[in-house]
């Protein structure tokens, strides 16, 4: 049986009242931010919607680095709960954990949005202080993830969705900018789209700027990436080939 708080969130979700979904969800689950990302079909998540603040920043960081609990959740279709990022093994997400001193959050909880064996996206909740979810919160989040899975399935291709309202009225417009920039880099450098996205990630990481800001500069023609015979593949930092590393709770020292 779901809680009254979740029942209200599901009603708001049906009405697509995104600011109220965010406010109610963060209060019910005692977190500081919530984000929903969709499977872009290339093995990378694409931010469909997020609340302001640390959730959006963390999603952008994971997208830039290509590693973290969100990418793991998307790749393997299982929940990844990290009650304290400061206690995660250094070799699990090396690039992400290097950024930890500058982050304002400590706990991350990622739940796959699945229909059968297909993972459509990821629901991510972040908290500024360490700590586990309660069993009741975990049950409610599982139900919310199922509802969001249905929403994504009904939505179809999120890249073709309306991107008119930048103020939490739906999918975030910066994803359209990212795809446009990736296409431009692909044409300019004569490389496949997947490699163009890696080049964007590498440039953003190397210049210590958010990926979406870099993409906007590409689209506005304020920035043009130079050809590089050895593009940096940031995803190579992740070493999660062992099934033992893919437990629901991130391994802690």
């Amino acid at each position: 049986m779901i809680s009254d708080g979740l029942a209200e969130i599901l009603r708001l979700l049906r009405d697509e009242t995104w600011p109220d979904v965010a406010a109610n969800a963060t209060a019910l689950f005692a977190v500081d931010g919530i984000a929903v990302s969709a499977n872009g079909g290339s093995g990378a998540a694409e931010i469909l919607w997020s609340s302001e603040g640390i959730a959006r920043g963390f999603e952008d960081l994971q997208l830039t680095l290509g590693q973290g609990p969100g990418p793991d959740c998307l790749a393997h279709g299982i929940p990844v709960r990290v009650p304290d990022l400061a206690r995660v093994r250094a070799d699990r997400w090396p690039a992400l954990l290097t950024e930890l001193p500058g982050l304002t959050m400590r706990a991350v909880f990622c739940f796959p949005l699945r229909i059968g064996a297909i993972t459509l996206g990821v629901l991510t909740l972040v908290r500024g202080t360490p700590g586990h979810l309660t069993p009741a919160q975990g049950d409610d989040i599982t139900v919310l993830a199922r509802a969001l899975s249905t929403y994504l399935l009904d939505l179809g291709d999120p890249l073709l969705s309306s991107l008119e309202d930048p103020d939490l009225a739906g999918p975030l417009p910066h994803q359209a900018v990212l795809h446009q920039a990736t296409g431009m880099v692909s044409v300019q450098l004569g490389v496949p789209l997947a490699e163009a996205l890696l080049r964007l990630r590498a440039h953003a990481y190397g210049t210590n700027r958010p990926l979406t800001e870099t993409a906007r500069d590409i689209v506005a023609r304020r920035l043009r990436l130079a050809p590089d015979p050895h593009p940096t593949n940031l995803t190579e930092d992740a070493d999660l080939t062992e099934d033992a590393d893919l437990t629901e709770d991130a391994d802690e020292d």
Side-chain angles (χ1 to χ4, degrees):
M1 183 174 181
I2 66 175
S3 67
D4 292 341
L6 180 61
E8 175 62 12
I9 290 172
L10 295 179
R11 184 190 68 78
L12 294 169
L13 179 62
R14 286 193 295 270
D15 296 338
E16 297 189 357
T17 314
W18 294 104
D20 292 333
V21 169
N24 286 36
T26 53
L28 179 63
F29 304 131
V31 296
D32 297 307
I34 180 173
V36 176
S37 59
N39 189 339
S42 61
E46 298 164 349
I47 306 169
L48 185 63
W49 165 82
S50 78
S51 56
E52 294 287 352
I54 62 176
R56 183 174 300 183
F58 186 70
E59 286 294 278
D60 202 16
L61 180 61
Q62 291 190 109
L63 181 61
T64 300
L65 299 176
Q67 64 176 235
D72 283 6
C73 182
L74 181 67
H76 302 285
I78 61 174
V80 180
R81 308 187 192 195
V82 189
D84 190 352
L85 273 171
R87 299 185 62 189
V88 173
R89 289 196 332 265
D91 63 344
R92 181 155 191 182
W93 303 303
L96 179 69
L97 295 178
T98 298
E99 303 292 326
L100 184 59
L103 300 179
T104 57
M105 37 79 65
R106 289 283 297 276
V108 185
F109 310 101
C110 297
F111 292 79
L113 307 181
R114 300 185 59 176
I115 298 293
I118 301 173
T119 303
L120 303 174
V122 177
L123 167 64
T124 300
L125 302 100
V126 298
R127 182 188 291 154
T129 55
H132 293 267
L133 295 169
T134 67
Q137 289 170 340
D139 290 344
D140 274 354
I141 293 172
T142 298
V143 174
L144 177 58
R146 290 173 184 163
L148 286 168
S149 299
T150 301
Y151 175 81
L152 287 186
L153 193 64
D154 292 341
L155 186 64
D157 186 350
L159 303 181
L160 301 180
S161 303
S162 172
L163 299 173
E164 296 178 355
D165 191 340
D167 190 23
L168 290 180
L172 292 176
H174 62 222
Q175 285 307 298
V177 173
L178 177 59
H179 280 274
Q180 187 176 353
T182 301
M184 290 175 65
V185 171
S186 174
V187 171
Q188 291 167 1
L189 301 184
V191 297
L193 289 172
E195 184 175 337
L197 179 57
L198 289 175
R199 291 295 307 276
L200 275 172
R201 283 177 174 170
H203 185 87
Y205 185 70
T207 56
N208 197 30
R209 299 184 64 214
L211 181 60
T212 48
E213 287 185 11
T214 302
R216 290 189 183 101
D217 283 348
I218 293 284
V219 172
R221 302 185 188 280
R222 294 188 293 266
L223 173 66
R224 185 185 179 101
L225 301 189
D228 184 349
H230 304 292
T232 301
N233 186 343
L234 293 178
T235 61
E236 291 179 353
D237 287 336
D239 183 13
L240 288 174
T241 57
E242 297 291 339
D243 288 343
D245 283 339
L246 299 175
T247 55
E248 260 198 6
D249 292 318
D251 295 330
E252 300 175 359
D253 293 329

